[in-house]
PDB file of all heavy atoms in Angstrom:
ATOM      1  N   GLU T 257    -218.678   5.556  11.743  1.00  0.00           N
ATOM      2  CA  GLU T 257    -218.244   4.269  12.331  1.00  0.00           C
ATOM      3  C   GLU T 257    -219.419   3.318  12.274  1.00  0.00           C
ATOM      4  O   GLU T 257    -220.529   3.730  11.892  1.00  0.00           O
ATOM      5  CB  GLU T 257    -217.727   4.490  13.756  1.00  0.00           C
ATOM      6  CG  GLU T 257    -218.765   4.994  14.742  1.00  0.00           C
ATOM      7  CD  GLU T 257    -219.396   3.880  15.532  1.00  0.00           C
ATOM      8  OE1 GLU T 257    -218.666   3.080  16.124  1.00  0.00           O
ATOM      9  OE2 GLU T 257    -220.639   3.797  15.539  1.00  0.00           O
ATOM     10  N   GLY T 258    -219.195   2.053  12.638  1.00  0.00           N
ATOM     11  CA  GLY T 258    -220.222   1.048  12.401  1.00  0.00           C
ATOM     12  C   GLY T 258    -221.035   0.587  13.599  1.00  0.00           C
ATOM     13  O   GLY T 258    -222.138   0.050  13.437  1.00  0.00           O
ATOM     14  N   THR T 259    -220.519   0.767  14.789  1.00  0.00           N
ATOM     15  CA  THR T 259    -221.135   0.146  15.961  1.00  0.00           C
ATOM     16  C   THR T 259    -222.537   0.699  16.254  1.00  0.00           C
ATOM     17  O   THR T 259    -223.467  -0.069  16.537  1.00  0.00           O
ATOM     18  CB  THR T 259    -220.222   0.332  17.190  1.00  0.00           C
ATOM     19  OG1 THR T 259    -218.889  -0.011  16.801  1.00  0.00           O
ATOM     20  CG2 THR T 259    -220.655  -0.544  18.337  1.00  0.00           C
ATOM     21  N   TYR T 282    -219.367  -6.785   9.347  1.00  0.00           N
ATOM     22  CA  TYR T 282    -219.635  -5.841   8.260  1.00  0.00           C
ATOM     23  C   TYR T 282    -218.335  -5.368   7.634  1.00  0.00           C
ATOM     24  O   TYR T 282    -217.272  -5.451   8.243  1.00  0.00           O
ATOM     25  CB  TYR T 282    -220.449  -4.642   8.756  1.00  0.00           C
ATOM     26  CG  TYR T 282    -219.860  -3.958   9.973  1.00  0.00           C
ATOM     27  CD1 TYR T 282    -218.929  -2.918   9.853  1.00  0.00           C
ATOM     28  CD2 TYR T 282    -220.221  -4.356  11.259  1.00  0.00           C
ATOM     29  CE1 TYR T 282    -218.384  -2.299  10.969  1.00  0.00           C
ATOM     30  CE2 TYR T 282    -219.682  -3.747  12.379  1.00  0.00           C
ATOM     31  CZ  TYR T 282    -218.766  -2.720  12.235  1.00  0.00           C
ATOM     32  OH  TYR T 282    -218.225  -2.134  13.349  1.00  0.00           O
ATOM     33  N   ARG T 288    -215.022  10.415   7.778  1.00  0.00           N
ATOM     34  CA  ARG T 288    -214.625  11.333   8.856  1.00  0.00           C
ATOM     35  C   ARG T 288    -213.892  12.505   8.225  1.00  0.00           C
ATOM     36  O   ARG T 288    -212.918  12.294   7.484  1.00  0.00           O
ATOM     37  CB  ARG T 288    -213.718  10.629   9.872  1.00  0.00           C
ATOM     38  CG  ARG T 288    -214.424   9.489  10.578  1.00  0.00           C
ATOM     39  CD  ARG T 288    -213.524   8.818  11.607  1.00  0.00           C
ATOM     40  NE  ARG T 288    -214.166   7.604  12.096  1.00  0.00           N
ATOM     41  CZ  ARG T 288    -213.638   6.779  12.982  1.00  0.00           C
ATOM     42  NH1 ARG T 288    -212.447   7.036  13.487  1.00  0.00           N
ATOM     43  NH2 ARG T 288    -214.295   5.704  13.374  1.00  0.00           N
ATOM     44  N   GLU T 290    -211.393  14.369   8.583  1.00  0.00           N
ATOM     45  CA  GLU T 290    -210.118  14.557   9.287  1.00  0.00           C
ATOM     46  C   GLU T 290    -209.138  15.224   8.339  1.00  0.00           C
ATOM     47  O   GLU T 290    -209.367  15.286   7.132  1.00  0.00           O
ATOM     48  CB  GLU T 290    -209.563  13.193   9.702  1.00  0.00           C
ATOM     49  CG  GLU T 290    -210.388  12.501  10.774  1.00  0.00           C
ATOM     50  CD  GLU T 290    -209.644  11.322  11.367  1.00  0.00           C
ATOM     51  OE1 GLU T 290    -208.778  11.548  12.221  1.00  0.00           O
ATOM     52  OE2 GLU T 290    -209.933  10.186  10.962  1.00  0.00           O
ATOM     53  N   GLY T 295    -202.441   7.235   5.434  1.00  0.00           N
ATOM     54  CA  GLY T 295    -203.082   6.415   6.461  1.00  0.00           C
ATOM     55  C   GLY T 295    -204.252   7.090   7.156  1.00  0.00           C
ATOM     56  O   GLY T 295    -204.858   6.509   8.050  1.00  0.00           O
ATOM     57  N   ARG T 296    -204.552   8.333   6.748  1.00  0.00           N
ATOM     58  CA  ARG T 296    -205.733   8.991   7.343  1.00  0.00           C
ATOM     59  C   ARG T 296    -206.549   9.611   6.226  1.00  0.00           C
ATOM     60  O   ARG T 296    -206.120  10.563   5.587  1.00  0.00           O
ATOM     61  CB  ARG T 296    -205.308  10.047   8.355  1.00  0.00           C
ATOM     62  CG  ARG T 296    -206.500  10.592   9.127  1.00  0.00           C
ATOM     63  CD  ARG T 296    -206.082  11.321  10.365  1.00  0.00           C
ATOM     64  NE  ARG T 296    -205.422  12.556  10.013  1.00  0.00           N
ATOM     65  CZ  ARG T 296    -204.667  13.273  10.850  1.00  0.00           C
ATOM     66  NH1 ARG T 296    -204.478  12.872  12.084  1.00  0.00           N
ATOM     67  NH2 ARG T 296    -204.123  14.390  10.464  1.00  0.00           N
ATOM     68  N   TYR T 297    -207.706   9.032   5.989  1.00  0.00           N
ATOM     69  CA  TYR T 297    -208.523   9.435   4.852  1.00  0.00           C
ATOM     70  C   TYR T 297    -209.889   9.914   5.317  1.00  0.00           C
ATOM     71  O   TYR T 297    -210.321   9.627   6.434  1.00  0.00           O
ATOM     72  CB  TYR T 297    -208.670   8.256   3.873  1.00  0.00           C
ATOM     73  CG  TYR T 297    -207.334   7.646   3.536  1.00  0.00           C
ATOM     74  CD1 TYR T 297    -207.019   6.334   3.888  1.00  0.00           C
ATOM     75  CD2 TYR T 297    -206.345   8.414   2.909  1.00  0.00           C
ATOM     76  CE1 TYR T 297    -205.777   5.805   3.622  1.00  0.00           C
ATOM     77  CE2 TYR T 297    -205.096   7.892   2.637  1.00  0.00           C
ATOM     78  CZ  TYR T 297    -204.818   6.584   2.996  1.00  0.00           C
ATOM     79  OH  TYR T 297    -203.582   6.066   2.740  1.00  0.00           O
ATOM     80  N   LEU T 300    -212.773   6.084   4.755  1.00  0.00           N
ATOM     81  CA  LEU T 300    -211.902   5.001   5.200  1.00  0.00           C
ATOM     82  C   LEU T 300    -212.686   3.698   5.137  1.00  0.00           C
ATOM     83  O   LEU T 300    -213.911   3.709   5.177  1.00  0.00           O
ATOM     84  CB  LEU T 300    -211.439   5.269   6.633  1.00  0.00           C
ATOM     85  CG  LEU T 300    -212.568   5.460   7.640  1.00  0.00           C
ATOM     86  CD1 LEU T 300    -212.471   4.443   8.753  1.00  0.00           C
ATOM     87  CD2 LEU T 300    -212.515   6.877   8.190  1.00  0.00           C
ATOM     88  N   GLN T 302    -213.399  -0.117   6.665  1.00  0.00           N
ATOM     89  CA  GLN T 302    -213.229  -0.976   7.849  1.00  0.00           C
ATOM     90  C   GLN T 302    -213.877  -2.337   7.618  1.00  0.00           C
ATOM     91  O   GLN T 302    -214.845  -2.448   6.879  1.00  0.00           O
ATOM     92  CB  GLN T 302    -213.942  -0.365   9.071  1.00  0.00           C
ATOM     93  CG  GLN T 302    -213.204   0.732   9.787  1.00  0.00           C
ATOM     94  CD  GLN T 302    -213.946   1.177  11.051  1.00  0.00           C
ATOM     95  OE1 GLN T 302    -214.866   0.496  11.528  1.00  0.00           O
ATOM     96  NE2 GLN T 302    -213.548   2.320  11.578  1.00  0.00           N
ATOM     97  N   VAL T 305    -216.691  -6.335  13.507  1.00  0.00           N
ATOM     98  CA  VAL T 305    -217.613  -7.330  14.071  1.00  0.00           C
ATOM     99  C   VAL T 305    -218.230  -6.746  15.332  1.00  0.00           C
ATOM    100  O   VAL T 305    -217.628  -5.893  15.984  1.00  0.00           O
ATOM    101  CB  VAL T 305    -216.932  -8.673  14.447  1.00  0.00           C
ATOM    102  CG1 VAL T 305    -216.200  -9.291  13.268  1.00  0.00           C
ATOM    103  CG2 VAL T 305    -216.002  -8.543  15.636  1.00  0.00           C
ATOM    104  N   GLU T 306    -219.426  -7.209  15.658  1.00  0.00           N
ATOM    105  CA  GLU T 306    -220.062  -6.857  16.928  1.00  0.00           C
ATOM    106  C   GLU T 306    -220.727  -8.126  17.448  1.00  0.00           C
ATOM    107  O   GLU T 306    -221.385  -8.846  16.693  1.00  0.00           O
ATOM    108  CB  GLU T 306    -221.140  -5.760  16.752  1.00  0.00           C
ATOM    109  CG  GLU T 306    -220.733  -4.554  15.897  1.00  0.00           C
ATOM    110  CD  GLU T 306    -219.660  -3.655  16.505  1.00  0.00           C
ATOM    111  OE1 GLU T 306    -219.366  -3.767  17.724  1.00  0.00           O
ATOM    112  OE2 GLU T 306    -219.089  -2.839  15.750  1.00  0.00           O
ATOM    113  N   ARG T 431    -209.552   5.637  23.684  1.00  0.00           N
ATOM    114  CA  ARG T 431    -210.164   5.473  22.372  1.00  0.00           C
ATOM    115  C   ARG T 431    -210.955   6.729  22.030  1.00  0.00           C
ATOM    116  O   ARG T 431    -211.380   7.461  22.904  1.00  0.00           O
ATOM    117  CB  ARG T 431    -211.069   4.240  22.386  1.00  0.00           C
ATOM    118  CG  ARG T 431    -210.335   2.973  22.807  1.00  0.00           C
ATOM    119  CD  ARG T 431    -209.771   2.199  21.660  1.00  0.00           C
ATOM    120  NE  ARG T 431    -210.804   1.802  20.732  1.00  0.00           N
ATOM    121  CZ  ARG T 431    -210.728   2.016  19.417  1.00  0.00           C
ATOM    122  NH1 ARG T 431    -209.685   2.613  18.900  1.00  0.00           N
ATOM    123  NH2 ARG T 431    -211.715   1.626  18.627  1.00  0.00           N
ATOM    124  N   LEU T 433    -213.907   7.160  20.901  1.00  0.00           N
ATOM    125  CA  LEU T 433    -215.364   7.062  20.920  1.00  0.00           C
ATOM    126  C   LEU T 433    -215.802   6.851  22.371  1.00  0.00           C
ATOM    127  O   LEU T 433    -215.105   6.210  23.146  1.00  0.00           O
ATOM    128  CB  LEU T 433    -215.812   5.882  20.049  1.00  0.00           C
ATOM    129  CG  LEU T 433    -215.119   5.808  18.674  1.00  0.00           C
ATOM    130  CD1 LEU T 433    -215.167   4.414  18.090  1.00  0.00           C
ATOM    131  CD2 LEU T 433    -215.745   6.797  17.710  1.00  0.00           C
ATOM    132  N   TYR T 435    -218.419   5.246  23.832  1.00  0.00           N
ATOM    133  CA  TYR T 435    -219.261   4.171  24.371  1.00  0.00           C
ATOM    134  C   TYR T 435    -218.505   3.067  25.100  1.00  0.00           C
ATOM    135  O   TYR T 435    -219.109   2.153  25.640  1.00  0.00           O
ATOM    136  CB  TYR T 435    -220.149   3.561  23.279  1.00  0.00           C
ATOM    137  CG  TYR T 435    -219.500   3.260  21.943  1.00  0.00           C
ATOM    138  CD1 TYR T 435    -218.465   2.345  21.828  1.00  0.00           C
ATOM    139  CD2 TYR T 435    -219.966   3.875  20.784  1.00  0.00           C
ATOM    140  CE1 TYR T 435    -217.900   2.050  20.593  1.00  0.00           C
ATOM    141  CE2 TYR T 435    -219.405   3.592  19.537  1.00  0.00           C
ATOM    142  CZ  TYR T 435    -218.372   2.688  19.449  1.00  0.00           C
ATOM    143  OH  TYR T 435    -217.810   2.397  18.235  1.00  0.00           O
ATOM    144  N   TYR T 436    -217.180   3.116  25.136  1.00  0.00           N
ATOM    145  CA  TYR T 436    -216.439   1.976  25.674  1.00  0.00           C
ATOM    146  C   TYR T 436    -216.529   1.830  27.191  1.00  0.00           C
ATOM    147  O   TYR T 436    -216.519   2.802  27.937  1.00  0.00           O
ATOM    148  CB  TYR T 436    -214.972   2.054  25.272  1.00  0.00           C
ATOM    149  CG  TYR T 436    -214.782   1.819  23.797  1.00  0.00           C
ATOM    150  CD1 TYR T 436    -214.325   2.828  22.963  1.00  0.00           C
ATOM    151  CD2 TYR T 436    -215.101   0.589  23.228  1.00  0.00           C
ATOM    152  CE1 TYR T 436    -214.175   2.611  21.597  1.00  0.00           C
ATOM    153  CE2 TYR T 436    -214.953   0.376  21.866  1.00  0.00           C
ATOM    154  CZ  TYR T 436    -214.495   1.381  21.065  1.00  0.00           C
ATOM    155  OH  TYR T 436    -214.362   1.157  19.711  1.00  0.00           O
ATOM    156  N   GLY T 453    -202.524   3.003  14.294  1.00  0.00           N
ATOM    157  CA  GLY T 453    -203.614   2.133  14.750  1.00  0.00           C
ATOM    158  C   GLY T 453    -204.242   1.415  13.570  1.00  0.00           C
ATOM    159  O   GLY T 453    -204.929   2.019  12.754  1.00  0.00           O
ATOM    160  N   ILE T 454    -203.996   0.104  13.459  1.00  0.00           N
ATOM    161  CA  ILE T 454    -204.563  -0.627  12.314  1.00  0.00           C
ATOM    162  C   ILE T 454    -205.934  -1.212  12.658  1.00  0.00           C
ATOM    163  O   ILE T 454    -206.635  -1.702  11.778  1.00  0.00           O
ATOM    164  CB  ILE T 454    -203.611  -1.739  11.790  1.00  0.00           C
ATOM    165  CG1 ILE T 454    -203.210  -2.716  12.904  1.00  0.00           C
ATOM    166  CG2 ILE T 454    -202.373  -1.123  11.156  1.00  0.00           C
ATOM    167  CD1 ILE T 454    -202.434  -3.928  12.384  1.00  0.00           C
ATOM    168  N   GLY T 455    -206.313  -1.136  13.920  1.00  0.00           N
ATOM    169  CA  GLY T 455    -207.635  -1.622  14.296  1.00  0.00           C
ATOM    170  C   GLY T 455    -207.862  -1.408  15.778  1.00  0.00           C
ATOM    171  O   GLY T 455    -206.900  -1.246  16.531  1.00  0.00           O
ATOM    172  N   GLY T 456    -209.114  -1.381  16.183  1.00  0.00           N
ATOM    173  CA  GLY T 456    -209.372  -1.197  17.608  1.00  0.00           C
ATOM    174  C   GLY T 456    -210.807  -1.516  17.946  1.00  0.00           C
ATOM    175  O   GLY T 456    -211.659  -1.657  17.059  1.00  0.00           O
ATOM    176  N   GLY T 457    -211.054  -1.640  19.229  1.00  0.00           N
ATOM    177  CA  GLY T 457    -212.431  -1.929  19.635  1.00  0.00           C
ATOM    178  C   GLY T 457    -212.545  -2.059  21.133  1.00  0.00           C
ATOM    179  O   GLY T 457    -211.663  -1.632  21.881  1.00  0.00           O
ATOM    180  N   GLY T 458    -213.635  -2.688  21.545  1.00  0.00           N
ATOM    181  CA  GLY T 458    -213.834  -2.875  22.967  1.00  0.00           C
ATOM    182  C   GLY T 458    -215.278  -3.183  23.290  1.00  0.00           C
ATOM    183  O   GLY T 458    -216.108  -3.367  22.395  1.00  0.00           O
ATOM    184  N   TYR T 460    -218.949  -2.324  25.071  1.00  0.00           N
ATOM    185  CA  TYR T 460    -219.791  -1.139  25.271  1.00  0.00           C
ATOM    186  C   TYR T 460    -221.055  -1.564  26.012  1.00  0.00           C
ATOM    187  O   TYR T 460    -221.914  -2.221  25.468  1.00  0.00           O
ATOM    188  CB  TYR T 460    -220.103  -0.451  23.933  1.00  0.00           C
ATOM    189  CG  TYR T 460    -220.354  -1.407  22.777  1.00  0.00           C
ATOM    190  CD1 TYR T 460    -221.630  -1.891  22.502  1.00  0.00           C
ATOM    191  CD2 TYR T 460    -219.296  -1.865  21.989  1.00  0.00           C
ATOM    192  CE1 TYR T 460    -221.863  -2.778  21.467  1.00  0.00           C
ATOM    193  CE2 TYR T 460    -219.519  -2.762  20.953  1.00  0.00           C
ATOM    194  CZ  TYR T 460    -220.796  -3.208  20.699  1.00  0.00           C
ATOM    195  OH  TYR T 460    -221.014  -4.101  19.670  1.00  0.00           O
ATOM    196  N   GLY T 477    -216.911  -5.484  20.259  1.00  0.00           N
ATOM    197  CA  GLY T 477    -216.609  -5.568  18.831  1.00  0.00           C
ATOM    198  C   GLY T 477    -215.322  -4.871  18.472  1.00  0.00           C
ATOM    199  O   GLY T 477    -214.612  -4.370  19.347  1.00  0.00           O
ATOM    200  N   PHE T 478    -215.019  -4.906  17.171  1.00  0.00           N
ATOM    201  CA  PHE T 478    -213.848  -4.166  16.688  1.00  0.00           C
ATOM    202  C   PHE T 478    -214.122  -3.561  15.323  1.00  0.00           C
ATOM    203  O   PHE T 478    -215.062  -3.952  14.622  1.00  0.00           O
ATOM    204  CB  PHE T 478    -212.597  -5.041  16.624  1.00  0.00           C
ATOM    205  CG  PHE T 478    -212.644  -6.213  15.660  1.00  0.00           C
ATOM    206  CD1 PHE T 478    -212.908  -6.024  14.296  1.00  0.00           C
ATOM    207  CD2 PHE T 478    -212.374  -7.503  16.108  1.00  0.00           C
ATOM    208  CE1 PHE T 478    -212.909  -7.100  13.409  1.00  0.00           C
ATOM    209  CE2 PHE T 478    -212.390  -8.589  15.225  1.00  0.00           C
ATOM    210  CZ  PHE T 478    -212.660  -8.377  13.877  1.00  0.00           C
ATOM    211  N   GLY T 479    -213.293  -2.589  14.961  1.00  0.00           N
ATOM    212  CA  GLY T 479    -213.248  -2.060  13.601  1.00  0.00           C
ATOM    213  C   GLY T 479    -211.793  -2.126  13.163  1.00  0.00           C
ATOM    214  O   GLY T 479    -210.921  -1.592  13.838  1.00  0.00           O
ATOM    215  N   GLY T 481    -208.997  -1.239  10.290  1.00  0.00           N
ATOM    216  CA  GLY T 481    -208.815  -0.318   9.173  1.00  0.00           C
ATOM    217  C   GLY T 481    -208.187  -1.033   7.980  1.00  0.00           C
ATOM    218  O   GLY T 481    -207.044  -1.484   8.040  1.00  0.00           O
ATOM    219  N   ASP T 483    -207.452   0.266   5.009  1.00  0.00           N
ATOM    220  CA  ASP T 483    -206.418   1.093   4.366  1.00  0.00           C
ATOM    221  C   ASP T 483    -205.079   0.953   5.096  1.00  0.00           C
ATOM    222  O   ASP T 483    -204.033   0.769   4.475  1.00  0.00           O
ATOM    223  CB  ASP T 483    -206.836   2.568   4.380  1.00  0.00           C
ATOM    224  CG  ASP T 483    -208.230   2.750   3.825  1.00  0.00           C
ATOM    225  OD1 ASP T 483    -208.355   2.859   2.603  1.00  0.00           O
ATOM    226  OD2 ASP T 483    -209.204   2.752   4.619  1.00  0.00           O
ATOM    227  N   ARG T 484    -205.141   1.064   6.412  1.00  0.00           N
ATOM    228  CA  ARG T 484    -203.884   0.995   7.181  1.00  0.00           C
ATOM    229  C   ARG T 484    -203.317  -0.411   7.180  1.00  0.00           C
ATOM    230  O   ARG T 484    -202.107  -0.600   7.250  1.00  0.00           O
ATOM    231  CB  ARG T 484    -204.124   1.478   8.613  1.00  0.00           C
ATOM    232  CG  ARG T 484    -204.345   2.971   8.634  1.00  0.00           C
ATOM    233  CD  ARG T 484    -204.445   3.496  10.031  1.00  0.00           C
ATOM    234  NE  ARG T 484    -205.039   4.823  10.000  1.00  0.00           N
ATOM    235  CZ  ARG T 484    -205.462   5.467  11.066  1.00  0.00           C
ATOM    236  NH1 ARG T 484    -205.365   4.904  12.262  1.00  0.00           N
ATOM    237  NH2 ARG T 484    -205.982   6.667  10.955  1.00  0.00           N
TER     238      ARG T 484
HETATM  239  P1  HAM J 777    -211.931   3.424  15.481  1.00  0.00           P
HETATM  240  O1  HAM J 777    -210.739   3.168  16.315  1.00  0.00           O
HETATM  241  O2  HAM J 777    -212.445   4.811  15.436  1.00  0.00           O
HETATM  242  O3  HAM J 777    -213.065   2.444  16.005  1.00  0.00           O
HETATM  243  O4  HAM J 777    -211.634   2.948  14.011  1.00  0.00           O
HETATM  244  C1  HAM J 777    -211.180   1.635  13.765  1.00  0.00           C
HETATM  245  C2  HAM J 777    -210.029   1.631  12.783  1.00  0.00           C
HETATM  246  O5  HAM J 777    -210.396   2.314  11.582  1.00  0.00           O
HETATM  247  C3  HAM J 777    -208.795   2.385  13.261  1.00  0.00           C
HETATM  248  O6  HAM J 777    -207.996   1.568  14.078  1.00  0.00           O
HETATM  249  C4  HAM J 777    -208.084   2.694  11.948  1.00  0.00           C
HETATM  250  O7  HAM J 777    -207.327   1.584  11.523  1.00  0.00           O
HETATM  251  C5  HAM J 777    -209.254   2.899  10.992  1.00  0.00           C
HETATM  252  N1  HAM J 777    -209.463   4.337  10.791  1.00  0.00           N
HETATM  253  C6  HAM J 777    -210.128   5.191  11.591  1.00  0.00           C
HETATM  254  N2  HAM J 777    -210.110   6.438  11.080  1.00  0.00           N
HETATM  255  C7  HAM J 777    -209.421   6.365   9.921  1.00  0.00           C
HETATM  256  C8  HAM J 777    -209.061   7.308   8.896  1.00  0.00           C
HETATM  257  N3  HAM J 777    -209.431   8.584   8.951  1.00  0.00           N
HETATM  258  N4  HAM J 777    -208.340   6.867   7.828  1.00  0.00           N
HETATM  259  C9  HAM J 777    -207.962   5.568   7.730  1.00  0.00           C
HETATM  260  N5  HAM J 777    -208.294   4.646   8.647  1.00  0.00           N
HETATM  261  C10 HAM J 777    -209.002   5.025   9.722  1.00  0.00           C
HETATM  262  C11 HAM J 777    -214.325   2.375  15.495  1.00  0.00           C
HETATM  263  O8  HAM J 777    -214.680   2.887  14.467  1.00  0.00           O
HETATM  264  C12 HAM J 777    -215.241   1.495  16.308  1.00  0.00           C
HETATM  265  N6  HAM J 777    -216.583   1.479  15.682  1.00  0.00           N
HETATM  266  C13 HAM J 777    -214.680   0.089  16.430  1.00  0.00           C
HETATM  267  C14 HAM J 777    -215.534  -0.783  17.280  1.00  0.00           C
HETATM  268  C15 HAM J 777    -216.427  -1.707  16.845  1.00  0.00           C
HETATM  269  N7  HAM J 777    -215.599  -0.776  18.587  1.00  0.00           N
HETATM  270  C16 HAM J 777    -216.485  -1.664  19.012  1.00  0.00           C
HETATM  271  N8  HAM J 777    -217.020  -2.222  17.953  1.00  0.00           N
END
Side-chain angles (χ1 to χ4, degrees):
E257 64 95 52
T259 313
Y282 52 89
R288 297 181 189 179
E290 292 193 80
R296 188 164 70 196
Y297 310 116
L300 56 121
Q302 280 185 14
V305 304
E306 313 292 346
R431 304 268 301 129
L433 314 158
Y435 45 62
Y436 291 114
I454 55 172
Y460 38 89
F478 63 57
D483 309 275
R484 289 186 197 169

